[in-house]
Amino acid sequence: MKKSMYTRTALVSLLTLCSFSSFAADFPDESMKEIKKQESTKTSGKTEVMKTSNKKLKEKMDRICNADPRKKAEELKKKEEIRLANEKKAKLIEDSKAKALNAKNSNIEKGKVSKTKVSKTKNAKIKAKDVKKNVKVVSKNVEEKGKANPVVSVGGVDIIDTNQGKDSLRITFGGVVDAQSHGKPGIIGDKRYNIMPGKSTDYFNNVSNDIKGANPVFPKGIGNIGDYSESMGMISDAILHLRAENKNEDLGLLYGADVQFHVPVTEGKGASQGVNAARGRSAHVFLNSKYGDLKLGYQFGPEALMRLDATRIATVDGAADSDWFRKVNLEGSAANFPFYVTPRLYTESFSSESEKLSFRMAGKYNKDVMTTLPFRAAYYSPNYMGARFGISYSPRYDSSLFFVKEGNDTRHIGLDYEHIVSAGTSYEYDFSKHNIKVKTSVVGEYGQAKQPNKDKHLYKEFVEYNDLMGVNLGVSADYKINEDQGVKFAASFAYLGKSGQPKDIKIKGNDDYEKIPAKDSQNQDNEEYKRIAGLAQFDNNTMYWTTGAGYQHENIYTSLTYFGSRMNDGDMLHDGALGVQYDLSPACSKSKFVPYAALHYFMTNEKGALKDKDGADVPSNQGVLLLTGVKFSF
C-alpha cells in the first residue's frame, strides 16, 4: 500500500512537470506569469489528486497534458478583455450618476439664489461690477466653485478681464529687476585711475589752467563723478512696466497705453539724493492696426528699437550696451569723460546717461536725464515679406535739462536739439533649407541745434552745438544646429559725425549773443579765449563698431563680443566681453530667472587730452571687470 502511494506520487509529479514544460515551450514571455500562478494552484491540490482512483487521475492528467496552450492563452486574454470592459462600463455609469447629481445640486443652488440673494454666485457678480468701476491689478486669483473668475493668468502675469469676457480690456504688469555684484580682480593699468569722486589734479600732473582748457563746457569744478576707489560693490536696479489695452473687433484696432517707471537705486542717481521712489521713465499711447502701429508720447524712437549690433546677441551685461562703464574710470585724465562708451546713436546714448554731457549733467547737477525722454510721434509699418520700416518726429527736448545756475548767473551748456527725425528699416530672410535666419537693419537720426535768441533767452552764456546726425548699419545671422543647439553672429558699424559736440561759445552782449574775441596781443592770456581754443579738439568725427558670436545649448547661453569706438578728439576705447548665463525658468514661461556672469577687458588710448607739465603722455587705462548677478524679467 505504501509502495503504491509512492508510485502514484511519482506519476503525478512527472505528469505535472510534463504539463508545465509544454506550456513554457509554447507560450510567449508575457503569459509565463499567469502560468506560474496556475502552477502554484495545481501543486496545492496535489493531495486531492492522490486520494482519487487511478481512473480519475488518468482522466485529469490526460486533460492537462492534451490541453492546447495557445487556445488557453486566448481564453485568458478574452477573460481579461471582458474584465476591463466591465470596469470601463461601471466607471461610465458612475460618472453619469455624478453629473446628474451635480446638475441637480446646481439647480437647487440656483433656486436658493433667486430666493435668498445671498449665494456665492451673486457675490461674485457684485464683485465683478466693482472691479469694472475700479480696475486694479491683483496678485492672486480667488476662485470659488460655480463662480466666474475675473482674473486669468497668462505667462505668469495676472490679467483682469473686467467684463467677465464681454469686454477685451486688459491690464498687464511686468518689469525687469537686476541684482548684481562687481569686482575688479586686479589693476592692470595705472593705479591713479582708481580714485575718489571729485579728484582730478592729484592723479595726473596737469597745470590747473590746462586741465580747464581740456573741458571748455565745464571750465570750473572739474572732477570725477563716480567713485572708483573700491574694488568690489553690489547694486540693484529695476524698470517696471504697466500696460493697458483694449480692442475694437469691428474696426480691427488694438489701442491702449504703456508706462514705464525707473527705480533709482543705481549709485550716483536718485540714491545719492535720498530719493528711493519710482520715477517716470516713458509714457505713450498706441494704436495698432493691419496698416501699422502708431505711438504718441515720451519714448525711444526707431533709432533705438530697430538698431542691430553685437549687443543684441550678448548675455546679460555681457556686452558694451550695459552699465559696465560706471564701475571703472573712463572719465579720463582731465575728468571730462572723453570716450564713447556704448554702441548707441547719440539721442539714445544721451537718454541713457552714457554720453559725455548727460553723464556729467546727471552726476554733477542732478538732472533727471534718464527719466526724461523726448516726446515723439512714431509710426512702424507692418511686416511685409520680412521687411519693415519705422519713422518718428520729436519737436524738441525739455530745455530745463540744458541750463545750470552758478551763483546769480544762468548758463546754457546743453545740446538742446529740436525737430529731431529718426528712421529705421529692417529685413529678415529665413533660409529654412539650411536652418539659417539672416537679418539686416539701417537706422539713422537728424536734428537741428537750437540757436541763441536774446528775445527768448536770459542765459549769460550760450554753448552752440553741431547739428545732430548719425547712422548705424547692422547684420546678424542665426544658425539652428538642432532643437537644443544654435549659433548666433552679429556685427555693426556706426557713424555719428559731430553729433553732441560744441562748436562755439557765445556771451550775451547789449544787442545779441556774441562770439568770444579771437586771439590777439591783448587777450591771448584771457581765460575765455583758452576755452575757445579748447574747442579745437572736437573737429573730427565720432564712430564705433561691434562684432560678436553666441552659442546656445539647451538652457545655457554664452557670448563673446567686442566694441570699439573713436571719439571726435581721437580718444579710443576697446572693450571685449565674455559672458555666460543659465535660464532657470521653464521653456514655456514668459517670466525669466537668469543667473549670469560677464568678464570685461577694456583698454583706452587717450589722444585728445593735453600733455602734463613735463610733456609726458597720458597714462593708459586698462583693466578687468567681473560682473555676476541674477536678472528676473516678468
Side-chain angles (χ1 to χ4, degrees):
M1 183 66 185
K2 207 171 197 181
K3 185 176 179 181
S4 177
M5 179 66 70
Y6 290 155
T7 304
R8 294 176 186 174
T9 302
L11 180 60
V12 170
S13 300
L14 180 62
L15 292 175
T16 303
L17 182 61
C18 175
S19 175
F20 177 74
S21 300
S22 176
F23 275 51
D26 295 335
F27 274 27
D29 293 339
E30 56 267 22
S31 302
M32 290 299 297
K33 292 182 180 180
E34 184 66 24
I35 294 172
K36 289 180 180 180
K37 184 178 179 181
Q38 292 180 12
E39 179 190 4
S40 63
T41 304
K42 293 175 187 176
T43 305
S44 64
K46 186 175 181 181
T47 305
E48 181 181 353
V49 172
M50 292 169 59
K51 291 181 180 179
T52 60
S53 65
N54 292 339
K55 184 178 180 180
K56 291 182 178 180
L57 177 61
K58 185 175 181 303
E59 291 177 355
K60 192 167 186 177
M61 293 301 102
D62 288 341
R63 286 197 302 270
I64 295 175
C65 293
N66 296 329
D68 187 353
R70 297 184 183 276
K71 184 177 180 181
K72 190 163 186 176
E74 291 177 0
E75 290 177 356
L76 292 174
K77 185 177 179 181
K78 288 181 180 180
K79 288 181 180 180
E80 183 66 16
E81 290 176 352
I82 293 172
R83 185 183 67 80
L84 293 175
N86 291 335
E87 288 181 358
K88 186 175 181 181
K89 185 176 180 181
K91 186 176 180 181
L92 291 174
I93 294 173
E94 185 179 351
D95 291 343
S96 178
K97 290 180 179 180
K99 289 181 180 180
L101 182 60
N102 289 339
K104 184 177 180 180
N105 291 337
S106 178
N107 293 333
I108 293 173
E109 289 294 326
K110 290 179 180 179
K112 290 181 180 179
V113 169
S114 62
K115 293 178 181 180
T116 64
K117 298 183 180 180
V118 293
S119 69
K120 292 182 180 179
T121 305
K122 186 65 177 180
N123 290 337
K125 292 181 179 179
I126 294 173
K127 290 179 181 178
K129 291 180 180 179
D130 291 338
V131 172
K132 188 175 181 181
K133 294 177 181 178
N134 302 291
V135 179
K136 297 179 180 179
V137 177
V138 297
S139 60
K140 66 177 182 178
N141 299 342
V142 180
E143 298 186 9
E144 296 181 17
K145 188 174 181 180
K147 179 181 71 174
N149 181 24
V151 182
V152 295
S153 181
V154 177
V157 178
D158 289 329
I159 302 174
I160 292 183
D161 184 353
T162 58
N163 254 357
Q164 298 278 348
K166 296 180 181 178
D167 197 2
S168 55
L169 178 62
R170 280 182 156 188
I171 297 178
T172 58
F173 177 76
V176 177
V177 179
D178 189 359
Q180 181 187 99
S181 63
H182 69 270
K184 292 175 274 189
I187 300 174
I188 299 177
D190 198 285
K191 294 183 179 181
R192 291 173 289 182
Y193 285 103
N194 284 30
I195 62 172
M196 297 288 291
K199 301 290 185 179
S200 61
T201 58
D202 59 351
Y203 77 96
F204 186 62
N205 296 322
N206 269 353
V207 179
S208 178
N209 288 338
D210 287 343
I211 296 176
K212 293 177 181 179
N215 196 334
V217 178
F218 299 97
K220 297 180 181 180
I222 294 178
N224 280 289
I225 301 301
D227 183 357
Y228 312 105
S229 62
E230 300 294 339
S231 60
M232 297 182 64
M234 301 185 71
I235 201 171
S236 181
D237 215 349
I239 295 291
L240 305 180
H241 177 211
L242 183 65
R243 177 184 176 94
E245 64 181 36
N246 208 334
K247 59 184 177 181
N248 187 318
E249 297 284 2
D250 297 332
L251 299 178
L253 300 177
L254 179 69
Y255 54 90
D258 267 310
V259 181
Q260 282 189 355
F261 303 94
H262 178 240
V263 181
V265 293
T266 303
E267 295 171 348
K269 298 190 182 70
S272 65
Q273 309 166 46
V275 180
N276 293 298
R279 298 178 298 185
R281 175 168 171 80
S282 67
H284 67 270
V285 296
F286 60 87
L287 178 66
N288 301 345
S289 70
K290 64 179 180 179
Y291 302 106
D293 303 337
L294 180 64
K295 299 180 180 181
L296 299 172
Y298 299 100
Q299 58 184 310
F300 286 108
E303 84 289 344
L305 301 182
M306 302 182 72
R307 172 175 55 85
L308 183 62
D309 53 50
T311 64
R312 303 300 196 192
I313 64 169
T315 62
V316 177
D317 283 356
D321 194 13
S322 66
D323 278 349
W324 74 276
F325 66 91
R326 298 184 185 276
K327 283 81 175 178
V328 296
N329 188 353
L330 296 181
E331 297 189 46
S333 62
N336 63 339
F337 205 69
F339 307 106
Y340 206 83
V341 298
T342 55
R344 302 164 174 149
L345 291 185
Y346 189 81
T347 56
E348 184 186 2
S349 188
F350 179 86
S351 298
S352 302
E353 293 182 10
S354 59
E355 177 273 336
K356 174 188 294 188
L357 179 64
S358 62
F359 179 83
R360 183 163 290 276
M361 292 291 287
K364 182 176 177 60
Y365 298 103
N366 298 326
K367 297 287 186 177
D368 293 335
V369 178
M370 185 175 286
T371 59
T372 310
L373 292 169
F375 182 92
R376 298 177 191 263
Y379 169 77
Y380 298 90
S381 73
N383 191 314
Y384 179 73
M385 297 181 67
R388 196 182 187 198
F389 75 90
I391 187 170
S392 73
Y393 170 77
S394 176
R396 67 184 64 84
Y397 276 96
D398 183 359
S399 296
S400 64
L401 293 174
F402 306 111
F403 71 83
V404 297
K405 290 185 177 181
E406 294 181 346
N408 296 325
D409 297 329
T410 301
R411 299 174 53 229
H412 175 273
I413 59 176
L415 48 97
D416 219 0
Y417 285 126
E418 56 186 3
H419 304 301
I420 303 171
V421 178
S422 61
T425 181
S426 64
Y427 177 73
E428 183 175 356
Y429 188 80
D430 187 355
F431 295 91
S432 56
K433 184 178 180 180
H434 304 285
N435 296 328
I436 298 176
K437 288 184 180 179
V438 177
K439 187 175 182 179
T440 61
S441 78
V442 179
V443 299
E445 61 184 7
Y446 175 80
Q448 298 177 356
K450 183 176 288 187
Q451 300 298 315
N453 187 324
K454 70 178 183 65
D455 297 327
K456 286 180 167 183
H457 304 145
L458 299 177
Y459 308 122
K460 177 184 177 181
E461 178 181 294
F462 192 96
V463 180
E464 189 175 357
Y465 281 79
N466 290 284
D467 287 343
L468 172 70
M469 190 278 293
V471 61
N472 181 96
L473 296 87
V475 60
S476 68
D478 188 350
Y479 172 60
K480 189 174 183 180
I481 301 175
N482 52 45
E483 292 298 327
D484 298 326
Q485 297 184 77
V487 181
K488 301 176 184 290
F489 303 94
S492 69
F493 176 81
Y495 176 83
L496 286 77
K498 295 182 175 64
S499 299
Q501 305 307 326
K503 67 178 182 179
D504 206 351
I505 301 175
K506 295 184 177 181
I507 307 297
K508 190 172 185 180
N510 295 328
D511 298 327
D512 204 346
Y513 285 90
E514 301 172 355
K515 291 185 177 182
I516 295 177
K519 177 181 178 181
D520 56 34
S521 58
Q522 296 181 352
N523 64 13
Q524 60 182 347
D525 295 327
N526 183 278
E527 186 70 26
E528 298 301 325
Y529 168 73
K530 289 185 177 181
R531 293 178 61 197
I532 293 297
L535 293 174
Q537 62 184 297
F538 303 116
D539 288 342
N540 298 317
N541 299 312
T542 300
M543 60 188 67
Y544 66 79
W545 51 94
T546 71
T547 184
Y551 172 70
Q552 177 84 43
H553 180 71
E554 295 180 348
N555 287 10
I556 301 176
Y557 184 75
T558 184
S559 67
L560 179 64
T561 61
Y562 164 76
F563 164 75
S565 67
R566 190 189 74 180
M567 202 69 167
N568 47 17
D569 54 1
D571 298 320
M572 299 189 69
L573 169 66
H574 306 276
D575 172 53
L578 174 65
V580 62
Q581 66 184 39
Y582 184 84
D583 188 358
L584 292 177
S585 52
C588 59
S589 175
K590 291 186 178 180
S591 63
K592 299 295 181 182
F593 191 83
V594 182
Y596 65 89
L599 185 67
H600 288 258
Y601 173 75
F602 66 95
M603 295 175 52
T604 66
N605 187 358
E606 193 174 349
K607 297 180 177 180
L610 300 177
K611 296 179 181 297
D612 70 7
K613 63 181 180 181
D614 299 325
D617 292 330
V618 177
S620 63
N621 184 14
Q622 56 183 326
V624 176
L625 177 69
L626 176 64
L627 303 172
T628 60
V630 177
K631 190 169 187 177
F632 176 59
S633 58
F634 57 98

